[in-house]
């Protein structure tokens, strides 16, 4: 009989190297124990209590990171914009296409026409691609419906993906993405619909965790976005914003004023926006796939964000127009090569900081006791390989909530 009673758990992973994302982050000869889908131990094997585990997985020296998080996607949509891509290759700008009724509106037309089943079928391969690289949590925005019914359909489909795959889905209502054709010339009336009809209905149906907007000269003004934020707050929804992507509209400062979870893109962010974000604790989400695909030349002010200690998350922005990207690993590589983010920043950007961008830092984003046992197990010798390689997927296994 054992003198010390063993701690009961469902599963342990041993002979692993851990990247806990808590300082100090690296643990050689690490062990993780899981019970009821949560981590009950993550750390050095030699300091671990004795476990009674029916299931022991020998990781043979592989690295384990927290399950990766893609905290900004528009991956539920129908159709594609390959034709628009061809136009852009011929020299037409993204903004010119958008102003000509292409862009977001062309995806809106295809998305409105798709049934729930068609939209689900179109989205699953994108979700599968993300999951194949160790992603365990995905944020999905609406914003290609732009009517109550079509926005609700997108959110319903997004939520429904969680019944089809072992992954956490969080949804964001992005009604303020573009003015739909019915409201051309009367953007304020559309914003009124977003605030007084869409947000209440969507909040009451429990279809969204947060509300986003596109603050831009080809999107909505700060005044219009402020109305959307006020309505969202009224219904207890968190806010976030596409800010300073193509120009400086002072969206980040507005987002910070509403205690936004994140401000995203940020290529044209200025010093006052940075200070406002630092003060509010708003996460900077950088989207190097969109920067790359639109051939933007001004990178977000990484050095200043770093100096202010603003958490920086990295996401794919998976969308048909500006970032048809379904690889979180490539997004990390681009953040390093194009934005000069460090390896540590890139790793935190898709784990700890991404969790914070979703307001989920108590549940996911690090290998800490009490968090979901979401793990990505990698065939690599050192964590930098996750950022360094392009087009190679070293995932060995992916665990979501302990399974
Ligand atoms: O994150 N900026 C606005 N929204 C998307 C692009 C959407 C589209 O072109 O379909 C973005 O870049
Ligand atoms: Fe986006």
């Amino acid at each position: 009989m054992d003198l010390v009673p063993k701690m009961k758990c469902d599963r342990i992973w041993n002979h692993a190297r851990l990247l806990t994302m808590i300082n100090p982050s690296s643990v050689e000869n690490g062990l993780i124990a899981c019970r009821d889908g949560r981590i009950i131990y993550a750390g050095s094997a030699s300091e671990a209590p004795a476990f009674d585990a029916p299931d022991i997985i020998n990781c043979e020296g592989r690295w384990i990171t927290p399950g990766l998080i893609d905290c900004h996607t528009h991956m539920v949509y129908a159709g594609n914009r390959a034709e628009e891509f061809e136009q852009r290759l011929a020299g037409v700008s993204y903004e010119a296409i958008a102003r000509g009724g292409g862009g977001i509106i062309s995806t809106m037309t295809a998305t409105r026409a798709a049934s729930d089943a068609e939209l689900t079928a179109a989205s699953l391969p994108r979700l599968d691609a993300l999951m194949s690289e160790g992603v365990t949590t995905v944020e999905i925005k609406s914003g290609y419906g732009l009517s109550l019914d079509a926005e609700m359909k997108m959110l319903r489909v997004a939520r429904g993906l969680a019944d089809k795959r072992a992954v956490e889905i969080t949804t964001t209502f992005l009604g303020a993405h573009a003015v739909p054709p019915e409201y051309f010339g009367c953007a304020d009336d559309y914003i009124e619909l977003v605030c007084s009809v869409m947000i209440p209905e969507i909040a009451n149906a429990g279809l969204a965790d947060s509300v986003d907007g596109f603050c831009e000269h080809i999107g909505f003004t700060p005044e219009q976005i402020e109305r959307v934020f006020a309505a969202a707050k009224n219904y207890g929804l968190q806010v976030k914003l596409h800010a300073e992507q193509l120009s400086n509209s002072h969206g980040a400062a507005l987002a910070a004023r509403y205690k936004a979870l994140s401000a995203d893109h940020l290529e044209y962010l200025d010093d006052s926006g940075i200070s406002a974000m630092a003060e509010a604790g708003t996460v900077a989400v950088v989207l190097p796939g969109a920067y790359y695909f639109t051939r933007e030349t001004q990178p977000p002010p990484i050095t200043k964000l770093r100096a202010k200690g603003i958490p920086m998350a990295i996401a794919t922005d998976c969308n048909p127009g500006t970032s048809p990207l379904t690889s979180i690993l490539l997004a990390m590589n681009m953040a390093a090569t194009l934005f000069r983010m460090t390896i540590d920043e890139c790793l935190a950007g898709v784990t700890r900081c991404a969790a914070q961008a979703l307001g989920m830092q108590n549940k996911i984003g690090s290998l800490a006791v009490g968090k979901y046992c979401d793990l990505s197990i990698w065939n690599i010798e050192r964590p930098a390989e996750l950022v360094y390689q392009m087009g190679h997927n070293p995932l060995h296994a992916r665990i979501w909530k302990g399974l």
Side-chain angles (χ1 to χ4, degrees):
M1 209 181 85
D2 291 330
L3 293 178
V4 186
K6 289 186 174 176
M7 236 169 122
K8 280 220 172 303
C9 67
D10 300 326
R11 237 176 164 188
I12 69 174
W13 291 262
N14 63 13
H15 303 292
R17 290 184 275 180
L18 311 183
L19 201 67
T20 63
M21 302 315 300
I22 309 162
N23 279 333
S25 190
S26 297
V27 180
E28 290 290 328
N29 192 19
L31 179 149
I32 294 175
C34 166
R35 191 171 59 211
D36 299 329
R38 291 184 189 263
I39 295 171
I40 59 167
Y41 181 85
S44 141
S46 61
E47 288 158 27
F51 285 105
D52 176 6
D55 196 8
I56 298 174
I57 293 146
N58 181 344
C59 294
E60 299 169 327
R62 293 186 178 88
W63 279 92
I64 301 184
T65 64
L68 306 188
I69 301 165
D70 194 348
C71 68
H72 178 141
T73 85
H74 310 247
M75 54 148 274
V76 167
Y77 62 83
N80 69 65
R81 308 242 288 273
E83 219 173 287
E84 182 182 306
F85 179 53
E86 280 191 85
Q87 279 179 271
R88 283 175 38 210
L89 288 174
V92 188
S93 76
Y94 177 68
E95 286 163 82
I97 290 168
R99 287 188 194 287
I104 293 171
I105 296 304
S106 79
T107 301
M108 179 210 75
T109 305
T111 302
R112 282 185 178 179
S115 65
D116 283 45
E118 288 165 341
L119 211 42
T120 302
S123 306
L124 277 173
R126 299 190 272 267
L127 180 59
D128 287 338
L130 292 173
M131 290 172 63
S132 75
E133 291 186 343
V135 170
T136 49
T137 302
V138 182
E139 185 259 16
I140 303 176
K141 301 174 197 298
S142 65
Y144 293 122
L146 309 179
S147 69
L148 177 63
D149 283 358
E151 287 290 302
M152 287 182 89
K153 174 176 67 181
M154 285 189 74
L155 293 166
R156 199 167 55 234
V157 165
R159 283 249 200 266
L161 295 175
D163 302 326
K164 302 211 174 297
R165 294 292 186 270
V167 67
E168 186 84 13
I169 302 287
T170 134
T171 57
T172 301
F173 170 57
L174 177 57
H177 195 196
V179 180
E182 312 82 86
Y183 285 87
F184 278 175
C186 19
D188 281 322
D189 295 342
Y190 177 63
I191 288 295
E192 181 56 28
L193 178 77
V194 167
C195 296
S196 60
V197 178
M198 293 192 190
I199 288 178
E201 293 270 353
I202 285 164
N204 289 336
L207 280 173
D209 303 300
S210 57
V211 172
D212 195 349
F214 186 26
C215 189
E216 192 59 64
H217 53 83
I218 58 163
F220 295 93
T221 65
E223 293 71 29
Q224 290 165 336
I225 295 295
E226 183 153 12
R227 290 169 61 195
V228 174
F229 281 179
K233 291 274 165 173
N234 252 334
Y235 283 87
L237 296 170
Q238 307 257 38
V239 299
K240 56 180 79 172
L241 191 63
H242 284 71
E244 275 70 276
Q245 179 183 10
L246 309 169
S247 63
N248 183 7
S249 308
H250 306 286
L254 167 65
R257 241 187 318 119
Y258 278 81
K259 295 275 174 281
L261 289 170
S262 68
D264 304 35
H265 286 285
L266 303 175
E267 279 80 350
Y268 291 85
L269 179 64
D270 66 10
D271 289 352
S272 63
I274 294 173
S275 300
M277 286 176 67
E279 212 163 292
T282 297
V283 175
V285 178
V286 299
L287 304 164
Y291 172 92
Y292 163 83
F293 196 72
T294 60
R295 305 186 76 227
E296 176 56 65
T297 51
Q298 174 156 325
I302 299 298
T303 310
K304 289 179 176 176
L305 290 166
R306 181 185 291 136
K308 286 275 188 185
I310 295 175
M312 294 183 278
I314 300 164
T316 62
D317 196 14
C318 174
N319 79 67
T322 63
S323 189
L325 172 64
T326 50
S327 169
I328 194 79
L329 296 177
L330 186 54
M332 288 162 82
N333 175 272
M334 288 177 172
T337 51
L338 301 174
F339 296 167
R340 313 314 290 163
M341 288 172 69
T342 67
I343 299 294
D344 286 350
E345 285 169 344
C346 290
L347 293 165
V350 298
T351 56
R352 192 182 62 237
C353 299
Q356 200 180 333
L358 298 176
M360 295 174 78
Q361 60 272 29
N362 295 329
K363 294 183 189 157
I364 55 172
S366 65
L367 302 179
V369 171
K371 292 202 180 178
Y372 292 143
C373 189
D374 293 355
L375 315 175
S376 299
I377 307 177
W378 305 97
N379 289 316
I380 52 173
E381 279 306 314
R382 47 187 300 158
E385 288 172 47
L386 296 180
V387 182
Y388 151 77
Q389 299 187 95
M390 297 186 283
H392 174 67
N393 181 3
L395 189 77
H396 169 72
R398 174 191 171 282
I399 309 296
W400 180 65
K401 294 187 178 171
L403 293 171

